[in-house]
Amino acid sequence: EWRYQVKSPVFWVGCLIFFLLAFGATTSDNVQIGSLGNVHKNAPYAIVQALALLGVFSVFITVAMVANVVVRDDDTGFAPIIRTTSIDKASYLGGRFIGATAAAFVVLAMIPLGIWVGTLMPWQDVEKIGPFVLGHYLVGLFAFELPTLLITASLCFAVAIATRSL
């Protein structure tokens, strides 16, 4: 599933969009995600706020990646073949869910990456950039965005299984 998702245009377009939005918000005053006020552009508050606001739009990417997993086998006619093998349904769907969710997580990881790369640009005002602390990026990504992604992906996956529809 991971290999399929990484080859998908949804994955690459999502990575590009989220990276460019975060990069643009960090490097330009014309692109703004939230209202930072008098905070460094790479402060923990700014990183979490960017993750939260762009996380709302990530629901669309999550639905496209995770719900497609269930529907794809039925559309291609491969589902009956899988059901006749010795793989139980929980293992099969669990592997598909983990692969699709991991790919969606990589798409969301482009947000802190875009912020970090944006802080390294030479035209940045050094007074608006704080020191680089990897923990700020990781805490925002793993403590805030990962649980949100897991909940959203689980709901989308469950609905797709129940309805066999995107």
Side-chain angles (χ1 to χ4, degrees):
E1 186 60 33
W2 169 259
R3 282 178 283 184
Y4 176 83
Q5 293 294 340
V6 171
K7 293 176 185 175
S8 169
V10 172
F11 176 81
W12 292 107
V13 169
C15 285
L16 184 67
I17 288 173
F18 284 120
F19 178 83
L20 289 177
L21 282 172
F23 179 81
T26 305
T27 58
S28 173
D29 292 332
N30 296 329
V31 180
Q32 186 175 356
I33 299 176
S35 62
L36 295 178
N38 199 13
V39 186
H40 287 130
K41 290 185 176 185
N42 62 342
Y45 174 75
I47 294 167
V48 169
Q49 189 174 33
L51 283 167
L53 293 174
L54 291 175
V56 172
F57 297 107
S58 73
V59 172
F60 300 111
I61 298 290
T62 304
V63 168
M65 294 176 90
V66 175
N68 184 32
V69 169
V70 178
V71 178
R72 187 175 65 235
D73 287 337
D74 288 330
D75 288 346
T76 61
F78 194 66
I81 296 170
I82 292 293
R83 291 186 188 112
T84 61
T85 63
S86 62
I87 299 173
D88 62 306
K89 193 174 186 177
S91 297
Y92 173 69
L93 290 176
R96 288 286 181 104
F97 175 76
I98 290 170
T101 304
F105 182 72
V106 170
V107 172
L108 291 177
M110 293 297 119
I111 299 169
L113 181 66
I115 294 171
W116 175 66
V117 170
T119 62
L120 300 176
M121 294 298 109
W123 61 83
Q124 283 285 26
D125 184 9
V126 294
E127 292 180 0
K128 293 183 179 181
I129 304 297
F132 172 75
V133 180
L134 181 63
H136 296 167
Y137 296 91
L138 295 178
V139 167
L141 188 61
F142 285 102
F144 185 77
E145 198 62 39
L146 182 61
T148 305
L149 173 68
L150 290 174
I151 291 168
T152 306
S154 299
L155 288 172
C156 293
F157 196 73
V159 170
I161 288 175
T163 62
R164 296 286 180 199
S165 171
L166 285 175

